Amino acid sequence: MNETDAFPPRSSHPADDPETASEAVATESRHDEDDRLKPEYVSAVRDAVEAGDAERARELVSPLHPADVADLIELTPADERAAVIAALGDLVGGEVLSELNDYVRDDVIEEMEPAQVAELAAELDTDDAVALIEDLEAEDQQAVLDAMEPEDRAAIESALAYPEESAGRLMQRDLVAVPQHWSVGQVIDYLREASTLTSDFWEIFVVDEGHHPIGSCQLSWVLTCPRSVSVSDVMKREQTLIPVDMDQEEVALRFQKYALISAAVVDPAGRLVGMITVDDILHIVQEEAGEDILRLSGAGDGDINEPVMDSYKARVRWLLSNLLTALLASSVIRLFEGTIEQMVALATLMPIVAGVGGNAGSQTMAVTVRALATNQITASNTWRTIFREMRVALLNGATVAVVIGIGVTLVFSNPALGGVIAAAMLTNIVTAGLAGAAIPLIFDRFDADPAVASSIFVTMITDSMGFFAFLGLATLAGLTGSG
Amino acid sequence: MNETDAFPPRSSHPADDPETASEAVATESRHDEDDRLKPEYVSAVRDAVEAGDAERARELVSPLHPADVADLIELTPADERAAVIAALGDLVGGEVLSELNDYVRDDVIEEMEPAQVAELAAELDTDDAVALIEDLEAEDQQAVLDAMEPEDRAAIESALAYPEESAGRLMQRDLVAVPQHWSVGQVIDYLREASTLTSDFWEIFVVDEGHHPIGSCQLSWVLTCPRSVSVSDVMKREQTLIPVDMDQEEVALRFQKYALISAAVVDPAGRLVGMITVDDILHIVQEEAGEDILRLSGAGDGDINEPVMDSYKARVRWLLSNLLTALLASSVIRLFEGTIEQMVALATLMPIVAGVGGNAGSQTMAVTVRALATNQITASNTWRTIFREMRVALLNGATVAVVIGIGVTLVFSNPALGGVIAAAMLTNIVTAGLAGAAIPLIFDRFDADPAVASSIFVTMITDSMGFFAFLGLATLAGLTGSG
């Protein structure tokens, strides 16, 4: 990826080089302590563009890393982005596009000519080029593909043939594979001669005659071994092979579990067809781990760059489901209208029982969803996990019940009411613990994403049970306003 | 990390090798499709240990990757772990320990003699050795350090001098640094001769006389260049240097943003003191991204291996805070006891307004917390983000208000009641949108973790506002049971 700035023949020592030194100062003034672009810097670029001073804008932006140029475009209001991009010209290259937020990128690409997109995609590794065009409308995608060199087009078309979010889309086809009978010296000579190779690789793969991977060598092993040693004596045979149709979430978990830097991707016949590198995995780990929180709250993709109407559609569906479950809880209350009429204080207290129970359920649910997402829960420890959560719930329930029971007894001078709310609270928190653990586990068992629908059901249970236990016990205890 | 299985001189082709072939079959029978150990396999090992057949247990476990041995220990019930570890003997090496869940590891290490822990730590890179002993009690830690070789001890002690979760704890000291006047050939010769080098590195660092990093070279660049070229002509000068006291979360964001494989760590004087590699970062990205969901629900560390009492302490504190805010909402209801007495139906409907509002608040909060955690929100787009959330909230609020308004009008044959609940719902969802966006942003502005306390406040606001708007409007409208 950094080929262009990797090989510039420079000779001066940076400390003697006034340009580099002044650049270090400039970096300070562009970024805050968290590596984010400062608002003054973003404004300076926007002002230059607005004033029609493209040269000034380019001067400001040219020292930036492509990832920072992408940030700059994201931080520019949507209606100014086209002007900023036009002013920056070739500073907005393929790499900048591939670093852009998905929504912003789609907007930017829609404004471009297919030939321009094709040119930018050609600068990138296959996986990044695919990411660039996979979300385009079928027609636009075809126009871009038609504008590409046949070789690039073939690589991208074959990647697009794999399912979305699969290893086939993530992998790059540029990799180094050598036969097992080669020596380390032959490998080094080959690498020096083959000038067309990708320059960003971390391991080489050793293959048999049928192009099946039989081992891999870290470059550091190649470099620290004598030239005469055979690669088959240096390579590691225990490999983590990635099937080409594996879901990216599973790929990411494998990279994590086995601390991989790169991994060979194989087709169903076991032939080496590509390579996935860890830099592409970091984004996925971040995304997948962050997704759960958004899914649990029904926030859809939950990206601040998502068009408002898309966010609305994703979220309102969830709120309407939530409305349905709230109606259910409401109908539980209606069962006890007579009791409430006799003692209105019950209406003031009942949301406490439901609310704290809901919170206890969220805690257990968050723990269970995370443990499932990181493969920590398997059939071996499912029951142990549920029992563990029940023990925590019992302790939590007992503590909160004692506190609320004593408080209500004192405030209302009504020990029976205190007893009722304490018993209801304990019941609801224990129910919440059971539901919070069991519901995500049940979804997972049926191969549904536990983060997507669990919270609707857990809330439904804790609300309904909260009202039912409290008002039901109050009815049984014959509580009245005069109690 | 794989030094031991990296260099075994093997010559046979795996397809001709019955052992490897049968091993491939065995792998199938040990792992499910998600790379998790199957319960039957875990039971088989536990049964062998229980039957006193350590040899059988070792035979079952010996083909496993250290990360899988760690999983096996985690999946074994806590009271059987000591027996399993004893039976496995040296199959439980330093690497297995470093892959273990923190809580399980602390338990396991507590059972060991300091000399044994010291021996296992010596097998590891500094960063992993530090992770192994940093959580021990001061006394135990000292005993382990005393049992180590002076050189290892010094490295670990200096790492422990840096703050927890800082770059200084993450970095390893074994790295390759070369002077800038060397040629590529000299570098390769140096790497071949220096047999004591770590064998897992991906880049070499180029330093000046004062050991300040001035550039870095990917090994693939070294390998693809002629021997005569100077490293200073190959290296990349634009480097991402990590200050030794930087927080691990920021380190992880830098790795992601700039797609780093390894990075130089520098002391305050700018001297190269260590290197962080991406394999250690993957865990952190996963942890940090997953943490928010646990913090938002007040689930503490939220690990299924955490001792029950620790989980209880973390969670009950949150539930008691939640109880306090629920009391506040309850006191809002008490203001309107008179209105409820006149029309008990209000008590059945009010939780709907509060509940759906709470959900809308959670959605906005989840989006904002994620955007803050990934540095997507800066001073440049804070207001834009708030306005965007308000627009979504208005659309959501209008939709839900219309649905509930019409529904209540029809069910209760009471248009005034329908109008009141619709107005209250709109008010509450818009309030929820504002609170869900603004509260995390305010916490972030004051350098507090937005995930930790936001949800308590958002819930407090949506509950109180839900009850206040609904019951207040009902009072103003003069609703009575006969309406």
Side-chain angles (χ1 to χ4, degrees), chain A residues 14 38 79 85 92 108 116 156 197 239 249 252 305 326 356 416 422-423 432 443 456:
Chain A
K38 288 188 182 172
D79 54 355
I85 291 169
V92 182
V108 168
Q116 199 181 351
I156 290 178
L197 281 176
Q239 290 180 89
E249 187 166 5
N305 296 297
V356 178
F443 276 112
I456 288 264

Side-chain angles (χ1 to χ4, degrees), chain B residues 96-338:
Chain B
V96 171
L97 286 189
S98 75
E99 295 282 347
L100 270 183
N101 174 280
D102 289 358
Y103 294 103
V104 178
R105 182 170 59 213
D106 289 350
D107 277 356
V108 167
I109 289 182
E110 257 173 41
E111 299 282 308
M112 291 182 171
E113 292 300 313
Q116 200 181 350
V117 178
E119 197 182 310
L120 293 172
E123 296 172 15
L124 299 170
D125 285 336
T126 326
D127 55 327
D128 292 324
V130 167
L132 209 61
I133 69 166
E134 66 183 347
D135 291 330
L136 293 181
E137 307 274 326
E139 203 178 310
D140 296 339
Q141 199 177 75
Q142 199 49 53
V144 172
L145 286 170
D146 289 343
M148 297 188 89
E149 299 291 321
E151 200 182 328
D152 290 340
R153 182 169 62 213
I156 291 178
E157 279 174 343
S158 79
L160 287 172
Y162 295 110
E164 273 185 60
E165 309 212 324
S166 70
R169 295 255 178 137
L170 276 181
M171 72 186 184
Q172 56 191 80
R173 274 155 188 74
D174 298 328
L175 54 81
V176 179
V178 300
Q180 60 175 325
H181 57 77
W182 277 18
S183 70
V184 163
Q186 278 178 293
V187 171
I188 295 180
D189 294 340
Y190 166 72
L191 292 175
R192 290 223 183 96
E193 280 155 28
S195 60
T196 57
L197 281 176
T198 171
S199 76
D200 287 310
F201 56 96
W202 317 97
E203 287 179 302
I204 59 171
F205 300 101
V206 183
V207 290
D208 67 12
E209 309 75 39
H211 216 65
H212 304 97
I214 55 173
S216 62
C217 275
Q218 289 186 17
L219 294 186
S220 55
W221 304 342
V222 174
L223 271 168
T224 48
C225 268
R227 282 181 67 94
S228 57
V229 174
S230 159
V231 285
S232 61
D233 289 343
V234 183
M235 72 184 187
K236 191 174 97 173
R237 280 173 198 272
E238 292 76 32
Q239 291 179 87
T240 308
L241 302 176
I242 309 283
V244 73
D245 57 355
M246 187 180 236
D247 184 79
Q248 64 174 20
E249 188 167 3
E250 288 304 319
V251 176
L253 283 172
R254 276 206 184 171
F255 265 76
Q256 265 184 283
K257 181 167 180 180
Y258 300 118
L260 306 176
I261 298 294
S262 57
V265 180
V266 291
D267 67 12
R271 279 183 305 256
L272 179 65
V273 291
M275 158 176 90
I276 296 180
T277 51
V278 70
D279 51 321
D280 296 315
I281 294 295
L282 269 181
H283 283 280
I284 294 168
V285 172
Q286 163 83 32
E287 264 174 40
E288 300 277 348
E291 241 172 36
D292 285 343
I293 188 180
L294 299 164
R295 288 193 180 155
L296 268 184
S297 66
D301 276 353
D303 190 295
I304 57 166
N305 296 296
E306 190 180 34
V308 167
M309 286 309 291
D310 290 3
S311 297
Y312 162 62
K313 278 182 217 155
R315 294 195 208 169
V316 81
R317 209 178 313 153
W318 188 266
L319 293 179
L320 290 173
S321 319
N322 189 235
L323 184 59
L324 259 181
T325 63
L327 288 174
L328 195 78
S330 163
S331 69
V332 171
I333 303 173
R334 288 191 75 177
L335 293 177
F336 300 100
E337 274 193 348

